[in-house]
Amino acid sequence: MGACAAIKAGARLRRSRQWKEGQENAAANIANAPNKDNARRRRRPAKKVHDDASTGTASTAPSSDDSFSRDASPIQRTAKKPSSRRRRPKKGGKRPSIVNIVAEPTDAEKANYLALDAEMVGVGPAGCHSRLARVSLVNWEGEVVYDALVKVAEPVTDHRTFVSGITAADLESDAAVSFDEARGAVAALIEGKVVVGHGLKNDWRALGLHHPWHLTRDTAKYAPFMRAVDPSELPFGVPPTTHVPKKLKVLAKDKLGMVIQEDGRPHSPIEDAVAALELYKKHRGKWEKAVAYKVERTKAITGASL
């Protein structure tokens, strides 16, 4: 019995020592194991102060930490470049008004202008062909320079009295002049001068005259006075175009407030010539700029002087 007890006691003592050694080894392993949280942390380099041996002052050179923070900054601020886009005016703001000041023409310049209008009668079947019956010229001030009834050599089939105001008695009167006399007088008066009128193409045809285009101011052909149309709506036989002339009666009413060619009253060539002249006066500045541009373009293309 004594021997067995001694053996058992020795076995317990060995097991106890082995257990104690295992505990000590485990504790040592835990103490020596690296900390994961510390390993994950990024240690910033410590700021170093460099002593200058010669001066004994601390160096002011930036540390590695400062350079890192500047270089790695995600925000880069740059100066804004001025925008090339045109700024729109604020709503409600008033735009500066543009005033075109046109100098009043001198007396010499006024003498260079005449306004012309003519009235025609019909000859041939149903009066389908026009012949000159009256021609009028007025100066810059609207004063009559020339006004004459014109005899018609052919039989007149339609006096068009409701429009022209011409009657058979007018054409047979002693006051009526021959066509050649009227044509010669008009040609002499308008030579070298600017002629203003409405639908001058018809007047030139009736007079048998031609006038330089750069000395002609036709209110029927001036683009700002014309009316836009759909070419498909034009009558058959009319050349396709996008703008057609307005009537002188309409232009005088809209632009000048003048009432001419009233219904039931024949036209007056003097009144019509004055209306065309007043329309030109009101828009002379822009009109003359347009003519000057066309003249320069024509000279550049043809090389000829006008």
Side-chain angles (χ1 to χ4, degrees):
M1 290 292 294
C4 291
I7 293 170
K8 290 179 180 180
R12 284 197 297 271
L13 181 59
R14 286 193 299 271
R15 286 197 298 270
S16 176
R17 289 177 178 173
Q18 291 176 354
W19 178 83
K20 187 179 290 186
E21 290 177 358
Q23 291 294 325
E24 291 175 355
N25 292 334
N29 292 334
I30 292 173
N32 295 329
N35 191 340
K36 294 182 178 179
D37 294 336
N38 293 335
R40 290 176 181 176
R41 292 180 184 174
R42 182 174 183 178
R43 294 185 179 180
R44 293 183 178 180
K47 294 183 179 180
K48 296 181 181 180
V49 179
H50 301 279
D51 294 333
D52 192 343
S54 60
T55 60
T57 58
S59 173
T60 58
S63 65
S64 59
D65 183 48
D66 293 338
S67 61
F68 172 80
S69 61
R70 288 196 300 268
D71 296 339
S73 176
I75 301 176
Q76 298 293 333
R77 298 181 181 273
T78 57
K80 291 184 179 180
K81 295 181 179 180
S83 176
S84 59
R85 295 179 61 184
R86 188 175 184 180
R87 292 185 179 180
R88 295 183 180 179
K90 294 181 179 179
K91 292 184 178 180
K94 294 183 179 179
R95 292 179 178 270
S97 58
I98 299 174
V99 179
N100 292 323
I101 301 176
V102 181
E104 181 71 14
T106 63
D107 292 341
E109 291 174 335
K110 291 178 181 179
N112 199 41
Y113 288 92
L114 288 174
L116 179 147
D117 191 69
E119 297 295 338
M120 277 75 78
V121 294
V123 299
C128 59
H129 302 293
S130 296
R131 293 294 183 268
L132 181 68
R134 184 182 177 184
V135 59
S136 303
L137 286 168
V138 299
N139 61 14
W140 182 268
E141 304 299 337
E143 300 168 342
V144 178
V145 175
Y146 184 78
D147 183 32
L149 292 167
V150 183
K151 294 179 180 179
V152 181
E154 303 169 71
V156 178
T157 56
D158 186 359
H159 288 86
R160 305 174 185 173
T161 306
F162 69 98
V163 175
S164 66
I166 304 296
T167 63
D170 292 331
L171 299 179
E172 295 170 1
S173 67
D174 295 336
V177 300
S178 66
F179 173 79
D180 291 338
E181 182 180 344
R183 181 177 181 274
V186 171
L189 288 169
I190 66 173
E191 185 178 1
K193 295 186 178 181
V194 177
V195 178
V196 184
H198 187 81
L200 286 171
K201 178 179 68 174
N202 300 324
D203 298 333
W204 298 138
R205 185 186 297 116
L207 283 161
L209 294 174
H210 297 279
H211 201 62
W213 66 266
H214 64 281
L215 295 178
T216 302
R217 306 292 184 268
D218 194 339
T219 56
K221 288 187 175 183
Y222 184 49
F225 290 168
M226 302 183 79
R227 176 172 59 89
V229 295
D230 185 351
S232 62
E233 298 177 358
L234 295 173
F236 178 76
V238 175
T241 184
T242 57
H243 290 76
V244 295
K246 290 183 180 180
K247 293 181 178 180
L248 180 61
K249 175 181 179 179
V250 175
L251 288 172
K253 177 66 175 177
D254 293 346
K255 305 291 185 181
L256 304 172
M258 290 179 61
V259 178
I260 62 172
Q261 302 177 0
E262 293 181 280
D263 295 337
R265 187 170 68 89
H267 298 183
S268 166
I270 296 175
E271 188 178 67
D272 293 352
V274 170
L277 181 60
E278 292 302 319
L279 283 169
Y280 167 75
K281 287 181 183 180
K282 189 173 182 179
H283 298 82
R284 186 172 68 92
K286 290 184 178 179
W287 201 329
E288 289 305 317
K289 285 183 180 179
V291 173
Y293 173 77
K294 292 180 181 179
V295 169
E296 291 302 320
R297 288 291 298 166
T298 302
K299 289 180 179 179
I301 294 172
T302 62
S305 58
L306 299 179

